Amino acid sequence: MLNLERLRVLHAVYTTGSVVGAARNLHVTTSAVSQQMARLEREVGQRLVERQGRGVRLTEAGALLARNAGELLSHVERIESGIAEHRGAVAGTLTIAAFATAARGLLPAVLRDLRSRYPDLSVSLSEREPHEAIPALARGHLEVAIVQDWVDDVLAIPEGLARRNLLDDPFDVALPVDHPLADRDSIAITELAGDDWISWSTGQICHDWLVRTLRVDGVEPRVVHTASEHSTQLALVAAGLGTAVIPRLGREPAPPSVRFVPINPPPTRRVLALWRQSATARPALDATLDALQRHCTQAAPGSGTNESQL
């Protein structure tokens, strides 16, 4: 009989394309992956991998077994979830990946809640952007992914994954306190077309939204400074070096020389929880999704005015 753990290793090699990638996703050493692959080859009596340059690739037999292993592992997960549902115990281990502002602004309270309610459940968190988290979730390397989705930049969700909308997260504009529009109740983003901008790097969702929005009116935004951390962006705004667009979720306290003004119409991203459909019946997953929903309701971003800085 084929060993399920070895099939998991083979499937990880198949989905990541390398022994190194499989080891990273399974949190084991590359030698452990190689040993498991060698044992699996002895079990099936065929070569499953072959050398290719400095790495390896799956043979035709290896690729065939890996594809079928994926279906088998999904089936096993459904069975295990059904057994756990019958037992009703919220226990075991569960891994969550979340993008940065959700990891900072939402997950600490959720993890504390789960630890308090379910002492037999061990939950771990890793910070990953959606383009990293979704493939890892689909491959079975984590249980829940917290991702962001924009109306004009719709997230592609692979078949086999389920989703739950957690909250809508609006963005506000961050202005230096002496900016001519800093005392406004709201502002159209096009009114700031001539400003110097502080943003994320090219290719990041927020940066690309800003560029697309201003280009509609024939304006090429002057992105003078780029930074991946909101705290850095706000420090640059506080120094009077430009204007930034900042989400409300996970927003850090701003320097006193920064003013937040709501944007009209407000750019809003949806925050979603994703999981594999084959694991839906697992009580630990259900408890985690409920905790996420509960804390999202409590943490739903409110007004972006300066009296309600988050």
Short mmCIF file of all heavy atoms in Angstrom, two decimals, residues 258-281:
data_model
loop_
_atom_site.label_atom_id
_atom_site.label_comp_id
_atom_site.label_asym_id
_atom_site.label_seq_id
_atom_site.Cartn_x
_atom_site.Cartn_y
_atom_site.Cartn_z
N VAL A 258 -0.18 64.51 10.10
CA VAL A 258 -0.85 63.84 8.98
C VAL A 258 -2.35 63.92 9.18
O VAL A 258 -2.84 63.75 10.30
CB VAL A 258 -0.41 62.36 8.87
CG1 VAL A 258 -1.25 61.63 7.83
CG2 VAL A 258 1.06 62.27 8.50
N ARG A 259 -3.08 64.20 8.11
CA ARG A 259 -4.54 64.20 8.14
C ARG A 259 -5.08 63.17 7.15
O ARG A 259 -4.61 63.10 6.01
CB ARG A 259 -5.08 65.59 7.77
CG ARG A 259 -4.78 66.66 8.81
CD ARG A 259 -5.56 66.42 10.10
NE ARG A 259 -5.26 67.42 11.11
CZ ARG A 259 -4.34 67.30 12.04
NH1 ARG A 259 -3.59 66.21 12.08
NH2 ARG A 259 -4.15 68.26 12.92
N PHE A 260 -6.06 62.38 7.60
CA PHE A 260 -6.75 61.44 6.72
C PHE A 260 -8.05 62.07 6.23
O PHE A 260 -8.83 62.59 7.06
CB PHE A 260 -7.07 60.13 7.45
CG PHE A 260 -5.87 59.31 7.79
CD1 PHE A 260 -5.50 59.10 9.10
CD2 PHE A 260 -5.10 58.75 6.79
CE1 PHE A 260 -4.39 58.33 9.42
CE2 PHE A 260 -4.00 57.98 7.09
CZ PHE A 260 -3.63 57.78 8.41
N VAL A 261 -8.29 62.00 4.95
CA VAL A 261 -9.52 62.53 4.36
C VAL A 261 -10.15 61.43 3.51
O VAL A 261 -9.48 60.84 2.67
CB VAL A 261 -9.24 63.77 3.48
CG1 VAL A 261 -10.54 64.30 2.88
CG2 VAL A 261 -8.54 64.85 4.30
N PRO A 262 -11.44 61.12 3.72
CA PRO A 262 -12.10 60.10 2.90
C PRO A 262 -12.10 60.49 1.43
O PRO A 262 -12.22 61.67 1.08
CB PRO A 262 -13.53 60.07 3.45
CG PRO A 262 -13.41 60.60 4.85
CD PRO A 262 -12.32 61.62 4.80
N ILE A 263 -11.97 59.49 0.58
CA ILE A 263 -11.97 59.69 -0.87
C ILE A 263 -13.39 59.47 -1.39
O ILE A 263 -14.09 58.56 -0.96
CB ILE A 263 -11.00 58.71 -1.56
CG1 ILE A 263 -9.58 58.92 -1.03
CG2 ILE A 263 -11.03 58.86 -3.07
CD1 ILE A 263 -8.60 57.84 -1.47
N ASN A 264 -13.81 60.32 -2.33
CA ASN A 264 -15.13 60.22 -2.92
C ASN A 264 -15.02 60.14 -4.45
O ASN A 264 -14.52 61.08 -5.06
CB ASN A 264 -15.98 61.41 -2.51
CG ASN A 264 -17.41 61.29 -2.99
OD1 ASN A 264 -17.91 60.19 -3.21
ND2 ASN A 264 -18.08 62.42 -3.15
N PRO A 265 -15.44 59.00 -5.03
CA PRO A 265 -15.97 57.78 -4.41
C PRO A 265 -14.85 56.98 -3.76
O PRO A 265 -13.70 57.01 -4.24
CB PRO A 265 -16.60 57.03 -5.58
CG PRO A 265 -15.81 57.48 -6.77
CD PRO A 265 -15.45 58.90 -6.51
N PRO A 266 -15.16 56.25 -2.69
CA PRO A 266 -14.09 55.57 -1.94
C PRO A 266 -13.59 54.32 -2.65
O PRO A 266 -14.39 53.45 -3.02
CB PRO A 266 -14.77 55.20 -0.62
CG PRO A 266 -16.22 55.08 -0.98
CD PRO A 266 -16.48 56.08 -2.07
N PRO A 267 -12.28 54.20 -2.86
CA PRO A 267 -11.73 52.92 -3.32
C PRO A 267 -11.83 51.91 -2.19
O PRO A 267 -11.45 52.21 -1.05
CB PRO A 267 -10.28 53.25 -3.66
CG PRO A 267 -9.95 54.43 -2.81
CD PRO A 267 -11.23 55.20 -2.64
N THR A 268 -12.37 50.74 -2.47
CA THR A 268 -12.62 49.74 -1.42
C THR A 268 -12.16 48.38 -1.89
O THR A 268 -12.42 47.99 -3.03
CB THR A 268 -14.11 49.68 -1.07
OG1 THR A 268 -14.55 50.98 -0.64
CG2 THR A 268 -14.37 48.68 0.04
N ARG A 269 -11.46 47.69 -1.04
CA ARG A 269 -11.08 46.30 -1.33
C ARG A 269 -11.91 45.37 -0.46
O ARG A 269 -12.29 45.72 0.66
CB ARG A 269 -9.59 46.08 -1.09
CG ARG A 269 -9.18 46.26 0.36
CD ARG A 269 -7.69 46.08 0.54
NE ARG A 269 -7.28 46.34 1.92
CZ ARG A 269 -6.04 46.29 2.35
NH1 ARG A 269 -5.05 46.01 1.50
NH2 ARG A 269 -5.73 46.54 3.61
N ARG A 270 -12.21 44.20 -0.97
CA ARG A 270 -12.89 43.17 -0.19
C ARG A 270 -11.83 42.28 0.46
O ARG A 270 -10.88 41.87 -0.21
CB ARG A 270 -13.81 42.34 -1.08
CG ARG A 270 -15.04 43.09 -1.56
CD ARG A 270 -15.93 42.16 -2.37
NE ARG A 270 -15.27 41.78 -3.61
CZ ARG A 270 -15.46 42.39 -4.77
NH1 ARG A 270 -16.25 43.43 -4.84
NH2 ARG A 270 -14.83 41.98 -5.86
N VAL A 271 -12.03 41.98 1.71
CA VAL A 271 -11.15 41.05 2.42
C VAL A 271 -11.88 39.71 2.48
O VAL A 271 -13.01 39.63 2.99
CB VAL A 271 -10.81 41.57 3.83
CG1 VAL A 271 -9.92 40.56 4.56
CG2 VAL A 271 -10.09 42.92 3.72
N LEU A 272 -11.25 38.66 1.98
CA LEU A 272 -11.87 37.35 1.85
C LEU A 272 -11.08 36.30 2.63
O LEU A 272 -9.86 36.41 2.77
CB LEU A 272 -11.91 36.91 0.38
CG LEU A 272 -12.43 37.88 -0.67
CD1 LEU A 272 -12.27 37.28 -2.06
CD2 LEU A 272 -13.89 38.22 -0.40
N ALA A 273 -11.80 35.28 3.09
CA ALA A 273 -11.18 34.07 3.60
C ALA A 273 -11.38 32.97 2.57
O ALA A 273 -12.49 32.78 2.07
CB ALA A 273 -11.80 33.67 4.94
N LEU A 274 -10.31 32.26 2.23
CA LEU A 274 -10.37 31.14 1.30
C LEU A 274 -9.95 29.86 2.02
O LEU A 274 -9.10 29.89 2.91
CB LEU A 274 -9.43 31.38 0.12
CG LEU A 274 -9.57 32.66 -0.69
CD1 LEU A 274 -8.54 32.68 -1.82
CD2 LEU A 274 -10.98 32.81 -1.24
N TRP A 275 -10.54 28.74 1.60
CA TRP A 275 -10.15 27.44 2.14
C TRP A 275 -10.50 26.38 1.10
O TRP A 275 -11.24 26.64 0.15
CB TRP A 275 -10.84 27.15 3.47
CG TRP A 275 -12.32 26.97 3.37
CD1 TRP A 275 -13.02 25.80 3.26
CD2 TRP A 275 -13.33 28.00 3.37
NE1 TRP A 275 -14.37 26.02 3.18
CE2 TRP A 275 -14.59 27.37 3.25
CE3 TRP A 275 -13.26 29.40 3.46
CZ2 TRP A 275 -15.78 28.09 3.22
CZ3 TRP A 275 -14.46 30.11 3.42
CH2 TRP A 275 -15.69 29.46 3.30
N ARG A 276 -9.95 25.18 1.27
CA ARG A 276 -10.26 24.10 0.34
C ARG A 276 -11.64 23.52 0.65
O ARG A 276 -11.96 23.26 1.81
CB ARG A 276 -9.20 22.99 0.43
CG ARG A 276 -7.86 23.37 -0.17
CD ARG A 276 -6.88 22.20 -0.13
NE ARG A 276 -6.67 21.72 1.22
CZ ARG A 276 -5.91 22.32 2.13
NH1 ARG A 276 -5.25 23.42 1.82
NH2 ARG A 276 -5.77 21.81 3.35
N GLN A 277 -12.43 23.33 -0.40
CA GLN A 277 -13.77 22.78 -0.22
C GLN A 277 -13.73 21.40 0.44
O GLN A 277 -14.63 21.05 1.21
CB GLN A 277 -14.47 22.68 -1.57
CG GLN A 277 -14.80 24.04 -2.18
CD GLN A 277 -15.37 23.92 -3.58
OE1 GLN A 277 -15.40 22.83 -4.15
NE2 GLN A 277 -15.82 25.03 -4.14
N SER A 278 -12.68 20.65 0.18
CA SER A 278 -12.57 19.30 0.74
C SER A 278 -12.43 19.30 2.25
O SER A 278 -12.62 18.28 2.90
CB SER A 278 -11.39 18.55 0.11
OG SER A 278 -10.17 19.27 0.28
N ALA A 279 -12.09 20.45 2.84
CA ALA A 279 -11.91 20.53 4.30
C ALA A 279 -13.08 21.21 4.99
O ALA A 279 -13.03 21.43 6.21
CB ALA A 279 -10.62 21.29 4.62
N THR A 280 -14.14 21.51 4.25
CA THR A 280 -15.24 22.32 4.79
C THR A 280 -15.85 21.74 6.05
O THR A 280 -16.24 22.48 6.96
CB THR A 280 -16.33 22.50 3.71
OG1 THR A 280 -15.77 23.23 2.61
CG2 THR A 280 -17.52 23.27 4.26
N ALA A 281 -15.95 20.42 6.14
CA ALA A 281 -16.64 19.80 7.29
C ALA A 281 -15.80 19.80 8.56
O ALA A 281 -16.32 19.47 9.64
CB ALA A 281 -17.04 18.37 6.94
#
